[in-house]
Amino acid sequence: MKPRHKRLALIGGIVAAVGVATALVLNAFQSNLVFFYSPSQVAAKEAPLNRTFRIGGLVKEGSVKRDGTDVQFVVTDTAQTVPVTYRGILPDLFKEGKGVVAQGQMRDDGVFVAREVLAKHDENYMPPEASEAVKRATQTNGKIAGSVVGGDKK
C-alpha cells in the first residue's frame, strides 16, 4: 500500500471513530434530557406519556393526602390541575400553596407519578419554570375573563 492510501485509510478511520463517538454521546444526551411542562400543557396533552419530564406549579390548598410515605397532592398553575402521587419523604419546605417541581412520568389514567419532588428554598422563591407557568396561566385566565365580561356589553 502506498503512503498516500495509508494516510487516507487512517483519516477515514479517525472520521468514523469520531462519528461513532458523537452518535453515542448524542444518544446518551437525548435519553437523559428532561423537559418541563406546566399543568396547562399536561392537560392539553403536550406532555409525553411513559417518558420522564418535570411538572411544576403550586401545591393546591387542601389537596395533600398522606399515608405513611405515600403522598398524593395536586399541582396547579391556577388554570389547570394535575394529580400527583409520590412515594418517599417530601422536602421539609413542601407546603400547600407553595411552589413545587416534580420529576416523573404521566400514567395513562392522567396521574403523574413523581420520582423526585423539589420544593422552594425560601419564602420568596419559586422555581423559574413554575413561576413562568403560573404567570402565563394567570394572564390567560385574565384574557378569557376579560373577553367574557367584555363580550356581554353592548
Side-chain angles (χ1 to χ4, degrees), residues 2-150:
K2 293 182 182 178
R4 180 177 181 194
H5 291 163
K6 286 182 183 179
R7 275 187 300 215
L8 285 176
L10 180 64
I11 290 172
I14 291 172
V15 168
V18 168
V20 168
T22 302
L24 291 173
V25 167
L26 290 176
N27 185 32
F29 181 71
Q30 182 66 25
S31 299
N32 294 321
L33 193 61
V34 178
F35 290 102
F36 176 86
Y37 293 92
S38 70
S40 293
Q41 290 173 308
V42 172
K45 307 275 190 233
E46 294 177 25
L49 288 175
N50 303 319
R51 180 156 173 136
T52 300
F53 65 93
R54 288 184 174 187
I55 185 169
L58 301 173
V59 178
K60 187 174 180 182
E61 295 283 343
S63 70
V64 178
K65 294 175 181 58
R66 298 173 193 257
D67 182 20
T69 59
D70 293 340
V71 183
Q72 298 171 351
F73 59 95
V74 175
V75 175
T76 182
D77 61 1
T78 69
Q80 297 290 331
T81 61
V82 174
V84 177
T85 62
Y86 176 67
R87 176 172 283 169
I89 299 172
L90 289 169
D92 291 337
L93 298 172
F94 179 88
K95 291 186 175 110
E96 294 179 353
K98 300 297 181 181
V100 67
V101 173
Q103 182 172 317
Q105 294 182 345
M106 182 64 78
R107 289 192 319 215
D108 294 333
D109 63 358
V111 175
F112 186 80
V113 179
R115 283 187 276 127
E116 182 180 16
V117 174
L118 307 170
K120 64 181 188 62
H121 65 269
D122 74 16
E123 62 189 54
N124 298 320
Y125 176 79
M126 182 186 299
E129 301 96 343
S131 176
E132 185 62 31
V134 169
K135 190 185 323 177
R136 277 196 311 271
T138 303
Q139 289 172 348
T140 301
N141 283 346
K143 288 178 184 176
I144 291 171
S147 66
V148 170
V149 172

